[in-house]
Amino acid sequence: MAVSPETRQLCEAAFSYEETAEAVSLLDLYAGPELERVHQAAVRLSEGRIGRLRKWLDEAERDPATVLWFGESPSDVSPSTHALGVEFINSFLDKHQTAPVESGDE
């Protein structure tokens, strides 16, 4: 299913002009449950970083409920606790980005 106009607008707001098409292409690859909600949650969680978007979509393939919990406003914790959790997970993702393979390192 194609990315909705609303999600495309979120991508345009979150990502640079050059990266918006890549972000939409990544979202198109997700075919799991809660498609629209997962797309929008992943875009919000990515904070405009393609690597983060990719990681959040990978997690959505395994467990969409996790992405929805972090990407929306859960009622089981305070907003400040939720924000701290999102910040912690995003910093963890940033530290564990896959490093590109350089020639000769194989």
Side-chain angles (χ1 to χ4, degrees), residues 45 69-90:
L45 288 165
W69 189 89
F70 279 103
E72 296 179 341
S73 298
S75 60
D76 59 342
V77 297
S78 71
S80 60
T81 299
H82 179 257
L84 180 64
V86 170
E87 182 181 332
F88 174 80
I89 295 298
N90 275 337

Side-chain angles (χ1 to χ4, degrees), residues 8-60:
R8 188 176 294 274
Q9 286 177 336
L10 279 177
C11 288
E12 290 169 354
F15 295 96
S16 69
Y17 176 78
E18 296 80 17
E19 292 179 323
T20 297
E22 184 178 357
V24 170
S25 293
L26 286 171
L27 292 170
D28 269 333
L29 296 175
Y30 177 75
E34 299 284 352
L35 185 76
E36 183 68 14
R37 286 176 65 206
V38 167
H39 280 177
Q40 292 185 10
V43 171
R44 283 191 296 273
L45 288 165
S46 74
E47 297 177 339
R49 296 183 183 178
I50 290 292
R52 282 185 186 171
L53 179 62
R54 189 175 290 113
K55 294 282 189 175
W56 282 112
L57 289 171
D58 287 347
E59 179 58 30

